[in-house]
């Protein structure tokens, strides 16, 4: 524990954050809200991993804002890619998955001198950190920054370190967010915890990652370059400043505590976990690693769920699942078997609510998602444990039922049997079973795990995954680089699609095969000698100086149509996209000749566009009706607005009831009948949100936003095309509602022409059904169907009863087989009318068989398993309860009972045969084990 410096006044974290914003606001900086952890409009990032993410397009010049100076605090997550801190979390005092970044920004305004002076002033004057406890680093070639530190700030040369040579692979003091994009030299500010923490001459700022003496507090990045996919760094349109200060680190310095985990951002989480476990402070210190993992992961999971991410088996949802399961794993190491993450997340919400009030709004959804995932993981552990125990039995290990998992591994002898690493990897990959838990459970039975084999299998999978991901990211980056060059040369495309579906425009660029074609000379699209592009040239991409074509965005698909010249179609547009900024790219097939510089008539498929507009306006009505009926938590988490239907994704942990769907339809249709006007307005983002406009998941908004309002009903931020009034939507029908993942639902609907077609199809279907049921009166269809169903069930009952009756118990007993020395067994399943009939059948078989094991299955939608063991075999150690438990897993069920008689119930009908086979195997294993 470092000795307290009386010159530093400890401040609460909330006060530090407030002071930071106020300091830079007083110096002309716009206070900008932090962005979601889900990057909007950036396919190269899984999560927002730095404060600069929301400003990336501003730094490259693709986007402009109403301000040139900004200040913010940004929630960030680093668990994958270049900035991956996941494995270090909990082991060190500074690493986190989720952390906050305090940042100030200059977009072509001030540069190195002001950034350094203000950083120094805030730390020393505003927070009171003594200047002699700070040191700086600069890039080796950055003489300007070095001169400011030495000559203007007055920092002694011995406290200014110069590191880095990016061209030779040393990236110290050179920062970039990803493999491509904005980058530049940087200057870091480090806090000196004291010479007593030094570990030798290498313990100097930014030179030893593990040196406990120096704490990096602030990184001042001077953005000068744009990193290209081919390795080149080209100058940005203007120089900018991007600073990032780790909030948790700063809090640990100001509060004078040994680690980030000892600040007031984490202490309440530790305290709640201690309450749940009944630990005293000494126990906490002994288990600090697990406590720190749980605290960090509780924060990360809370914010991810609040930002619209839910646990799943792919993408962002898979990362969240890993975070939750790692936290649960460490809870088990501490002895906690019951769910606890909702408890710790509730503390996170309380601690962070002043800075992030939206956490309070999302509280119920956050806690429910965590409870649900913990329960699911408990089932995963049960299933994984069963498979692991099976693998251990294959090694000849005696694995009795009912063992408790989660104990710490014992020391194993060098000659202990080992579980194959490939099996451990399969448990990890297929069943989500943590390798640490595999190691610990195996150790309870004296079995080691081939960790090297596991690591090799894991690395092979990661290599395959990285290769695919890098290939896709490289393709996207090259595509972005190409179109960025076009954007810089020709400027933004003027969008005319709000006013018209047809307009003349000039061809300014043609792309085929990922490259511009003869653009410098104004050549043809195929580069042919005659300078013309013809139909044989295939699929190309065309950029116009202006266009009525809507580019895909906000869930709305891109427009289709045609480009014509001289009254003849020369290009069929199959899709419209915006790969960078406001550059509209028309993708399709040539049907004639097109040259750069040609003037063409751009015509949108107006009928298709009208259908899209109906569905988009209806999506807004559906969203509002859904929230009115289900509750405010049913916010958009994704959507698709197509010409033939619409779909809308929203968080909910249950299906919508028929009554709720009917209420939603009724409300939407009422607004359509009212023919309410739909209006568009442009206003500052803050003003729109204050007016009650809804902002959507995974969408990127500028400082000035476009709002679409349905009179006295809904208001949303939206850049899509819409009806002028709701009456233009026509019909509206919900066609489906289903789960698309844990806690996430999808609702689909049709409008306009598709709704008319649906009604016609349903009436025709009703007429055909009536005819098939032998009536011309369609109102009699339900009664006729009920009558037919009753007759069918009666016939099925008679058939089942006959089948059971035809198999006489004595005949079944005669087919018994010896499955172990002196042990005969009968295995049979059928469509019995009830469990009472099945048990009566089993009693009759017992009378005919005498000594033996009888296993009978009920073949039904909810299959059941019934096992009896004769008294002489019970005395030999056989137990019907153990046998039922062995078999019930095959039908996704559970069971138990007495040694003489036991019963189980499941959900997987097709697993009955396997269940009986597992009972047989369990009988054989039990008899062999007792021999």
């Amino acid at each position: 524990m470092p000795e307290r410096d009386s010159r530093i006044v400890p401040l609460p974290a909330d006060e530090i954050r407030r002071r930071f914003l106020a300091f830079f606001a007083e110096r002309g900086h716009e206070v900008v809200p932090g962005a979601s952890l889900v990057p909007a409009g950036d396919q190269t990032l899984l999560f927002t991993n730095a404060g600069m993410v929301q400003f990336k397009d501003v730094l490259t010049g693709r986007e402009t804002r109403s301000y040139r100076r900004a200040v913010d605090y940004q929630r960030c997550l680093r668990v994958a890619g270049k900035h991956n801190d996941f494995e270090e979390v909990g082991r060190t005092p500074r690493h986190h998955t989720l952390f906050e970044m305090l940042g100030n920004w200059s977009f072509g305004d001030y540069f190195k001198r002001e950034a350094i002076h203000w950083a120094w002033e805030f730390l020393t004057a505003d927070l009171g950190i003594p200047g002699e406890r700070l040191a700086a680093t600069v890039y080796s070639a950055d003489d300007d920054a070095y001169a400011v530190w030495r000559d203007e700030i007055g920092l002694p040369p011995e406290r200014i370190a110069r590191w880095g040579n990016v061209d030779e692979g040393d990236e110290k003091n050179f920062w970039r967010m990803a493999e491509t994009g904005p980058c530049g030299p940087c200057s870091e500010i480090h806090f000196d915890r004291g010479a007593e923490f030094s570990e030798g001459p290498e313990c100097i700022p930014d030179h030893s990652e593990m040196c406990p003496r120096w704490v990096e507090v602030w990184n001042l990045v001077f953005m000068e370059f744009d990193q290209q996919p081919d390795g080149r760094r080209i100058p940005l349109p203007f120089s900018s400043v991007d600073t990032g200060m780790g909030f948790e680190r700063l809090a640990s310095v100001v509060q004078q505590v040994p680690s980030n985990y000892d600040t007031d951002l984490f202490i309440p989480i530790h305290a709640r976990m201690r309450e749940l476990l009944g630990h005293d402070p000494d126990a906490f210190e002994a288990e600090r690693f697990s406590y720190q993992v749980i605290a960090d992961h509780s924060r990360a999971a809370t914010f991810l769920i609040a930002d619209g991410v839910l646990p799943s088996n792919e993408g962002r949802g898979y990362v969240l699942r890993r975070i939750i399961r790692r936290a649960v794993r460490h809870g088990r190491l501490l002895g906690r078997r019951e769910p606890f993450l909702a408890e710790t997340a509730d503390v996170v919400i309380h601690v962070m609510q002043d800075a992030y009030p939206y956490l309070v709004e999302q509280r119920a959804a956050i806690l429910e998602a965590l409870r649900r995932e913990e329960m699911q993981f408990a089932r995963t552990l049960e299933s994984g444990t069963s498979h692991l125990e099976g693998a251990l039995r294959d090694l000849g290990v005696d694995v009795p039922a009912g063992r408790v998992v989660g104990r710490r591994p014992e020391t194993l002898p060098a000659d202990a049997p080992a579980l194959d690493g490939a099996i451990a990897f399969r448990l990890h990959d297929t069943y989500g079973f943590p390798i640490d838990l595999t190691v610990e459970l195996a150790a309870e039975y004296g079995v080691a795990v081939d960790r090297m084999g596991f690591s090799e299998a894991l690395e092979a999978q990661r290599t395959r995954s990285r290769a695919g991901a890098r290939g896709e990211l490289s393709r996207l980056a090259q595509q972005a680089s190409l179109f960025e060059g076009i954007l810089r040369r020709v400027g933004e495309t003027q969008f005319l699609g709000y006013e018209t579906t047809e307009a003349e425009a000039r061809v300014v660029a043609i792309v085929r095969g990922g490259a511009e074609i003869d653009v410098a000379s104004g050549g043809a699209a195929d580069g042919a000698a005659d300078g013309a592009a013809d139909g044989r040239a295939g699929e190309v991409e065309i950029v116009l100086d202006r266009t009525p074509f809507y580019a895909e965005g906000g869930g709305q698909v891109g427009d289709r149509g045609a480009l014509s010249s001289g009254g003849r179609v020369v290009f069929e547009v199959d899709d419209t996209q915006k790969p960078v900024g406001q550059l509209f790219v028309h993708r399709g097939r040539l049907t004639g000749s097109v040259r750069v510089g040609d003037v063409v008539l751009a015509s949108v498929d107006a009928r298709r566009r009208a259908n899209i507009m109906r569905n988009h306006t209806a999506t807004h009505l559906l969203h509002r009706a859904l929230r009115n009926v289900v509750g405010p938590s049913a916010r958009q988490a994704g959507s698709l607005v197509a010409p033939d239907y619409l779909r809308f994704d929203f968080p909910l942990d249950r299906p919508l009831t028929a009554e709720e769907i009917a209420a939603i339809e009724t409300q939407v249709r009422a607004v359509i009948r009212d023919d309410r006007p739909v209006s568009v307005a442009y206003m500052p983002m803050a003003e729109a949100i204050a007016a009650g406009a809804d902002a959507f998941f995974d969408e990127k908004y500028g400082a000035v936003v476009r709002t679409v309002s349905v009179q006295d009903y809904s208001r949303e931020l939206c850049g899509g095309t819409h009806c002028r009034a709701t009456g233009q939507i026509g019909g509206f029908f919900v066609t489906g509602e289903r789960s698309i993942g844990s806690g996430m639902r999808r609702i689909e609907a049709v409008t306009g022409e598709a709704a008319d077609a649906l009604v016609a199809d349903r009436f025709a279907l009703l007429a055909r059904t009536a005819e098939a049921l032998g009536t011309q009166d369609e109102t009699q269809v339900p009664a006729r169907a009920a009558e037919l169903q009753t007759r069918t069930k009666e016939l099925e009952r008679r058939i089942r009863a006959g089948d059971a009756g035809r198999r006489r118990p004595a005949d079944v007993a005669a087919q018994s087989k010896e499955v172990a020395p002196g042990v005969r067994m009968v295995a049979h399943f059928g469509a019995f009318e009830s469990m009472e009939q099945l048990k009566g059948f089993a009693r009759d078989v017992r009378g005919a068989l005498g000594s033996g094991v009888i296993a009978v299955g009920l073949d039904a939608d909810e299959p059941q398993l019934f096992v009896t063991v004769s008294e002489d075999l019970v005395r030999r150690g056989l137990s019907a309860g153990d046998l039922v438990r062995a078999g019930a897993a095959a039908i996704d069920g559970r069971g138990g009972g007495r040694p003489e008689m036991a019963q189980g119930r499941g959900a997987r009908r097709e697993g009955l045969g396997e269940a009986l086979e597992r009972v047989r195997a369990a009988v054989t294993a039990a008899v062999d084990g007792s021999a």
Side-chain angles (χ1 to χ4, degrees):
M1 183 88 179
E3 200 172 304
R4 286 192 175 273
D5 189 329
S6 60
R7 295 169 295 179
I8 303 176
V9 179
L11 297 171
D14 282 343
E15 174 63 13
I16 298 172
R17 192 190 291 112
R18 188 200 64 77
R19 287 194 182 194
F20 180 80
L21 294 180
F23 179 89
F24 283 98
E26 290 169 0
R27 287 155 181 80
H29 290 64
E30 179 84 8
V31 178
V32 179
S36 167
L37 286 174
V38 178
D42 192 335
Q43 295 175 294
T44 65
L45 281 177
L46 196 63
F47 296 107
T48 296
N49 62 7
M52 70 164 292
V53 171
Q54 70 163 316
F55 299 116
K56 182 178 177 181
D57 287 347
V58 183
L59 293 166
T60 59
R62 293 200 301 261
E63 179 187 341
T64 58
R65 299 281 177 97
S66 59
Y67 46 82
R68 298 180 66 190
R69 297 180 180 185
V71 61
D72 73 344
Y73 55 91
Q74 175 64 55
R75 52 197 182 276
C76 303
L77 196 79
R78 292 186 180 175
V79 289
K82 178 176 181 286
H83 300 286
N84 184 352
D85 291 350
F86 189 64
E87 298 302 329
E88 295 302 314
V89 171
R91 302 181 187 278
T92 74
R94 313 284 174 214
H95 282 94
H96 304 288
T97 53
L98 180 116
F99 63 97
E100 288 184 81
M101 188 82 81
L102 306 181
N104 59 289
W105 312 82
S106 164
F107 308 118
D109 189 41
Y110 62 83
F111 202 41
K112 296 178 183 180
R113 183 176 182 276
E114 293 88 345
I116 292 172
H117 274 274
W118 284 336
W120 184 261
E121 182 182 353
F122 177 71
L123 292 176
T124 59
D126 208 278
L127 296 185
I129 299 174
E132 61 267 26
R133 297 197 66 173
L134 298 174
T137 68
V138 297
Y139 187 60
S140 56
D142 193 347
D143 295 333
D144 294 337
Y146 181 83
V148 173
W149 281 115
R150 183 192 61 191
D151 302 335
E152 299 184 29
I153 300 299
L155 206 60
E158 62 270 19
R159 283 198 283 127
I160 310 174
R162 304 185 75 162
W163 302 108
N165 187 329
V166 70
D167 293 325
E168 295 183 2
D170 182 359
E171 297 203 8
K172 281 189 171 60
N173 294 307
F174 194 91
W175 202 93
R176 50 185 168 190
M177 184 177 65
E179 298 300 323
T180 61
C183 58
C186 60
S187 179
E188 298 174 353
I189 302 175
H190 293 251
F191 175 75
D192 186 358
R193 298 178 66 214
E196 65 271 24
F197 290 94
S198 179
E199 293 186 348
E202 294 298 310
C203 194
I204 52 182
D206 199 35
H207 193 58
S208 173
E209 290 288 338
M210 302 308 293
C211 173
R213 175 175 179 176
W214 296 97
V215 178
E216 180 192 336
V217 175
W218 209 337
N219 191 7
L220 316 178
V221 181
F222 309 120
M223 290 293 185
E224 300 182 63
F225 307 107
D226 191 357
Q227 181 72 51
Q228 301 297 297
D230 60 8
R232 293 179 300 121
R233 287 187 298 279
I234 62 176
L236 289 167
F238 48 81
S239 296
S240 298
V241 171
D242 155 20
T243 85
M245 178 155 52
F247 182 52
E248 293 79 8
R249 294 186 178 203
L250 179 63
S252 74
V253 169
V254 175
Q255 295 176 12
Q256 300 191 71
V257 292
S259 86
N260 298 359
Y261 291 98
D262 295 303
T263 66
D264 60 353
L265 295 166
F266 291 89
I267 287 176
I269 310 173
H270 299 327
R272 181 63 184 131
M273 198 65 198
R274 279 177 49 197
E275 290 175 9
L276 293 174
L277 294 166
H279 281 183
D280 58 23
D282 290 339
F284 165 76
E285 289 299 331
E287 303 286 358
R288 177 177 276 271
F289 173 35
S290 290
Y291 269 97
Q292 292 182 172
V293 168
I294 290 168
D296 174 274
H297 291 8
S298 297
R299 284 166 34 109
T302 299
F303 276 88
L304 279 171
I305 295 169
D307 280 346
V309 180
L310 289 172
S312 69
N313 287 327
E314 59 183 22
R316 298 181 178 103
Y318 180 62
V319 173
L320 173 58
R321 176 159 284 168
R322 283 182 63 205
I323 288 171
I324 291 173
R325 292 186 172 187
R326 188 167 185 246
V328 173
R329 164 79 187 114
H330 279 271
R332 293 175 71 87
L333 285 177
L334 294 174
R336 179 75 179 183
R337 295 292 183 271
E338 300 79 12
F340 63 87
L341 277 177
E343 299 285 344
T344 53
D346 208 19
V347 177
V348 173
I349 294 169
H350 177 74
V351 170
M352 308 297 283
Q353 63 184 346
D354 288 346
Y356 301 95
Y358 81 108
L359 293 178
V360 179
E361 299 171 10
Q362 297 291 319
R363 178 179 177 274
I366 294 167
L367 302 188
E368 178 55 34
L370 288 170
R371 291 189 188 101
R372 187 169 56 246
E373 181 63 14
E374 280 202 81
M375 290 175 64
Q376 181 171 332
F377 188 38
R379 292 191 292 270
T380 296
L381 289 177
E382 186 174 335
S383 173
T385 299
S386 174
H387 285 86
L388 174 58
E389 290 177 345
L392 294 175
R393 289 190 185 97
D394 291 342
L395 288 174
V397 177
D398 179 23
V399 183
R403 289 295 296 272
V404 176
V405 303
R407 301 172 184 173
R408 295 188 178 280
E410 302 169 3
T411 302
L412 298 173
D415 59 350
L419 183 71
D420 190 278
I423 295 175
F425 175 73
R426 187 166 65 249
L427 288 167
H428 160 82
D429 189 52
T430 304
Y431 302 103
F433 207 67
I435 180 60
D436 291 342
L437 193 55
T438 299
V439 170
E440 292 195 8
L441 181 58
E444 291 188 26
Y445 301 107
V447 176
V449 175
D450 175 15
R451 291 296 295 261
M452 183 175 293
F454 170 84
S455 298
E456 289 171 354
L458 181 62
E459 184 56 34
Q461 184 200 55
R462 286 175 174 170
T463 299
R464 291 190 297 270
S465 176
R466 282 195 296 263
R470 283 175 179 167
E472 176 64 10
L473 289 176
S474 176
R475 185 190 68 79
L476 292 171
Q478 289 175 5
Q479 181 189 63
S481 178
L482 169 67
F483 287 112
E484 282 169 3
I486 295 174
L487 177 62
R488 281 194 290 268
R489 189 180 71 251
V490 306
E492 295 182 348
T493 307
Q494 181 184 1
F495 179 57
L496 309 172
Y498 293 139
E499 296 82 26
T500 184
T501 56
E502 188 171 271
E504 284 192 343
R506 186 177 301 278
V507 177
V508 295
I510 303 174
V511 173
R512 188 184 64 195
E516 274 196 88
I517 302 171
D518 293 343
V519 65
S521 61
D526 66 351
D530 63 0
D534 58 35
R536 295 171 298 173
E539 185 172 296
V540 298
E541 297 170 300
I542 293 179
V543 181
L544 305 175
D545 63 341
R546 59 186 203 148
T547 183
F549 284 78
Y550 180 85
E552 180 178 342
Q556 179 174 327
V557 298
D559 277 335
R560 294 179 182 174
L563 306 183
S564 304
S565 179
R568 191 169 75 88
V569 173
V570 294
F571 186 75
E572 293 181 352
V573 180
D574 296 327
D575 190 19
T576 311
Q577 295 287 329
K578 284 194 297 183
V580 295
Q582 291 300 305
L583 189 77
F584 286 60
V585 176
H586 308 78
R587 296 175 178 169
R589 293 167 288 110
L590 286 162
T591 58
S593 298
V594 183
R595 298 173 182 270
V596 172
D598 284 355
V599 174
V600 296
L601 181 65
S603 303
V604 174
D605 182 335
R607 180 175 178 179
R608 181 176 183 271
R609 163 75 81 80
N611 287 331
I612 292 171
M613 291 166 65
R614 292 185 184 100
N615 283 333
H616 204 153
T617 304
T619 299
H620 286 211
L621 303 186
L622 170 63
H623 185 198
R624 173 47 53 191
L626 186 65
R627 298 184 71 185
N628 289 346
V629 172
V630 177
S633 63
R635 298 178 61 86
Q636 177 171 325
S639 69
L640 174 68
V641 179
D644 50 344
Y645 80 109
L646 66 91
R647 74 177 187 222
F648 187 91
D649 301 339
F650 61 99
L652 192 66
D653 59 357
R654 60 172 178 80
L656 292 176
T657 65
E659 293 76 16
E660 286 172 329
I661 292 175
I664 289 167
E665 286 184 317
T666 299
Q667 192 172 130
V668 171
R669 290 174 190 152
V671 176
I672 291 172
R673 284 194 303 274
D674 290 345
D675 196 25
R676 302 189 187 193
V678 179
S679 59
V680 172
Y682 293 85
M683 62 187 70
M685 174 72 167
E687 183 180 330
I689 297 300
D694 293 318
F696 291 153
F697 169 79
D698 206 16
E699 280 302 305
K700 185 173 184 178
Y701 302 105
V704 176
V705 295
R706 180 176 185 261
T707 65
V708 175
S709 301
V710 175
Q711 187 181 67
D712 299 328
Y713 191 68
S714 73
R715 179 185 285 112
E716 298 184 0
L717 306 187
C718 182
T721 58
H722 286 270
C723 301
R724 292 188 302 275
T726 58
Q728 293 180 328
I729 296 172
F732 176 85
F733 293 95
V734 172
T735 57
E737 193 273 338
R738 59 189 174 89
S739 169
I740 57 170
S742 179
M744 190 65 70
R745 310 294 299 181
R746 172 170 291 170
I747 191 167
E748 297 179 348
V750 292
T751 68
E753 293 179 3
D756 293 344
L758 177 67
V759 172
D761 288 346
R762 293 291 169 85
F763 271 111
L765 177 62
L766 180 60
R768 292 195 301 272
T769 303
E771 184 179 354
L773 291 171
T775 179
Q776 296 301 313
D777 184 356
E778 294 169 356
T779 64
Q780 292 299 309
V781 166
R784 289 291 182 96
E787 178 185 341
L788 181 61
Q789 190 174 37
T790 299
R791 290 170 55 195
T792 301
K793 286 182 177 179
E794 175 59 21
L795 289 172
E796 288 176 346
R797 187 194 67 77
R798 292 178 182 178
I799 291 170
R800 285 197 302 269
D803 284 346
R806 281 195 295 272
R807 294 299 306 277
R808 293 190 307 150
D811 294 338
V812 174
Q815 294 179 353
S816 65
K817 295 180 180 179
E818 187 172 23
V819 295
V823 179
R824 301 195 68 80
M825 177 176 170
V826 169
H828 175 76
F829 69 87
F832 296 93
E833 286 193 61
S834 64
M835 278 302 292
E836 286 69 26
Q837 185 190 34
L838 180 151
K839 291 178 181 179
F841 180 81
R843 282 194 298 271
D844 293 342
V845 173
R846 167 66 62 212
L849 178 66
S851 174
V853 175
I854 299 170
V856 184
L858 173 65
D859 185 9
D861 289 338
E862 289 191 355
Q864 297 194 49
L865 189 61
F866 182 70
V867 176
T868 68
V869 178
S870 58
E871 290 184 6
D872 60 314
L873 296 182
V874 170
R875 289 193 294 273
R876 290 178 60 180
L878 286 180
S879 168
D882 290 345
L883 299 180
V884 160
R885 280 189 287 272
I891 56 174
D892 290 349
R894 309 178 78 166
R898 304 191 309 276
E900 301 83 4
M901 184 184 302
Q903 184 175 334
R905 180 191 299 270
R908 198 168 71 91
R909 185 177 195 168
E910 61 272 21
L912 268 175
E914 182 186 349
L916 295 175
E917 177 57 27
R918 289 193 183 189
V919 172
R920 184 204 61 75
V923 171
T924 302
V927 173
D928 290 347
S930 62

